[in-house]
Amino acid sequence: MFVALAMLEQEGPDLLAARLSAVAPAHYTSSPHPKAQIAQALTSLRARKILQAVYGESPRGLLGMLSRLGDSPLPQQRLYRVVFDLLSDPKHRERAAALLKISGNIGPSHIEITQHLDPVLVHEKILNRIGLAQVDDVNAVLALIRKRVSTATDAALRQSVEQIQPKTRLETFFSRWLKKMDQPVAGPQIAADDPDFTMLTTGEAMAALGRRFQNCLSSKIPYVATGRHAYLEWRHAPAIAELHRLSDGQFVLADVHAILNREPDPDLVATIRHKLGSLGIPAIETDNQLRACGVLQLLGTFDFRIGPRFDEDIEEQLNELAQELADAA
């Protein structure tokens, strides 16, 4: 009935009345008034006949789907057509199957998510883990993984989706894939045969070095994947140089890490700073963070952590980071 009433509001009573009359039995008698005809048809015709009148057909699964939408009309009438298209078009077979496997009632957000989510992720194990507001971000993260991980084929991704365990968080699923990164974004210009630095370009290399240094370097893989950070291992002593990319594309030295996050030797830090400076990579003093923010602002650049907007609304900054993830993907 809600499907028919949606058509009534969109197309007017004459067309709906004519379509309902076309599927009515031969002995069907009705009022000359279209709205009266519609009311009589909706109270006497079987559900499948009503759907045939509205859409011309009632594809398999449509009645069952509608019965799981609850006892109230959907907030947006167009969603009824989306449901019909998902079930009637063979190219949407997997989307429809995933939607039907959702336990309990199916809400309007489920329909929207199923319609817009990347096909590889259209699975009940994903649909039960995300909200409508996350769809674009989820698609962007998947695009980033495809770009940075050579083994992230549709078949491999789909298989891993099917193997997600009930307690596995979606963030864990994505981070496991990104740790396989082997095609990073372009970083600072450090030659492969540089005598002093080795640039970490894969997730495997970052995880291995993180284990050696007993720090959280592996958690920084997303920053490298999106091009925000770069990490260099000093060849002559245990030290890692952390570089941040500014909004103008230039990299600057942000920190030097020692094993177990101990305070690095000042002479070693000075040597690393001098070497990077000779390569055109400066170090910005951050002892006075507010002053550093002002310096960056005057230079027309900023960094997410220490940039001029660091004291503004954190939600706005997080939204910017989400947009950069989408742009990088």
Side-chain angles (χ1 to χ4, degrees):
M1 287 185 178
F2 291 142
V3 168
L5 294 175
M7 181 182 180
L8 171 64
E9 187 168 331
Q10 294 168 359
E11 304 290 346
D14 292 338
L15 179 60
L16 179 58
R19 290 190 175 186
L20 289 169
S21 297
V23 299
H27 62 275
Y28 181 82
T29 58
S30 64
S31 166
H33 302 289
K35 288 187 178 179
Q37 295 174 24
I38 293 170
Q40 184 176 356
L42 294 182
T43 56
S44 60
L45 291 177
R46 298 181 68 85
R48 191 176 299 278
K49 285 291 185 179
I50 295 174
L51 293 176
Q52 288 174 350
V54 174
Y55 293 129
E57 62 173 313
S58 177
R60 182 179 179 182
L62 181 57
L63 278 175
M65 177 76 76
L66 294 177
S67 71
R68 296 177 59 193
L69 296 181
D71 298 327
S72 301
L74 293 175
Q76 295 176 293
Q77 295 176 352
R78 64 175 180 81
L79 293 179
Y80 289 111
R81 184 72 197 195
V82 172
V83 169
F84 172 78
D85 290 340
L86 287 174
L87 291 164
S88 61
D89 192 333
K91 71 181 180 183
H92 296 318
R93 186 176 293 112
E94 290 186 358
R95 294 184 187 274
L99 190 58
L100 288 167
K101 288 180 181 178
I102 293 175
S103 58
N105 282 348
I106 296 172
S109 62
H110 290 131
I111 299 171
E112 295 267 35
I113 292 169
T114 304
Q115 180 186 19
H116 297 293
L117 197 62
D118 188 284
V120 166
L121 298 177
V122 177
H123 191 283
E124 65 269 22
K125 291 185 177 181
I126 300 294
L127 299 181
N128 288 328
R129 283 174 163 82
I130 65 173
L132 181 58
Q134 295 175 290
V135 172
D136 289 342
D137 291 339
V138 168
N139 285 340
V141 172
L142 181 65
L144 179 65
I145 290 172
R146 283 175 166 145
K147 194 171 184 179
R148 300 286 177 252
V149 182
S150 63
T151 57
T153 63
D154 284 356
L157 288 165
R158 185 66 178 186
Q159 183 178 27
S160 67
V161 167
E162 293 171 351
Q163 294 173 350
I164 294 177
Q165 297 301 308
K167 294 184 178 180
T168 301
R169 298 171 67 242
L170 194 61
E171 294 87 343
T172 303
F173 170 77
F174 283 134
S175 65
R176 286 173 179 170
W177 266 105
L178 205 54
K179 285 180 179 179
K180 301 176 183 180
M181 175 184 68
D182 56 2
Q183 301 179 136
V185 67
Q189 298 300 311
I190 305 293
D193 59 351
D194 186 277
D196 300 310
F197 288 115
T198 299
M199 187 157 66
L200 305 178
T201 59
T202 69
E204 182 181 3
M206 291 182 66
L209 193 60
R211 288 191 295 270
R212 281 174 47 203
F213 275 65
Q214 299 181 57
N215 62 20
C216 61
L217 185 59
S218 63
S219 69
K220 306 297 185 182
I221 293 173
Y223 289 92
V224 175
T226 55
R228 297 182 69 91
H229 291 185
Y231 292 88
L232 308 174
E233 181 183 8
W234 182 249
R235 293 180 183 269
H236 313 296
I240 301 171
E242 179 178 325
L243 311 183
H244 290 192
R245 180 174 59 84
L246 302 178
S247 59
D248 63 357
Q250 181 184 16
F251 280 89
V252 296
L253 175 63
D255 208 348
V256 175
H257 302 281
I259 291 178
L260 288 171
N261 286 323
R262 298 191 182 103
E263 191 71 23
D265 179 75
D267 291 336
L268 176 58
V269 172
T271 301
I272 291 175
R273 287 164 58 97
H274 177 74
K275 167 65 179 185
L276 288 173
S278 70
L279 296 173
I281 301 173
I284 291 185
E285 299 289 351
T286 58
D287 293 337
N288 184 332
Q289 196 170 51
L290 290 176
R291 178 62 55 80
C293 294
V295 170
L296 290 173
Q297 190 171 26
L298 289 173
L299 292 173
T301 60
F302 65 88
D303 173 77
F304 177 75
R305 185 175 65 87
I306 61 175
R309 306 183 64 184
F310 107 110
D311 58 347
E312 293 185 8
D313 184 8
I314 186 63
E315 184 176 350
E316 183 178 348
Q317 294 188 37
L318 291 173
N319 288 337
E320 289 180 357
L321 180 57
Q323 183 59 51
E324 288 204 16
L325 280 168
D327 293 342

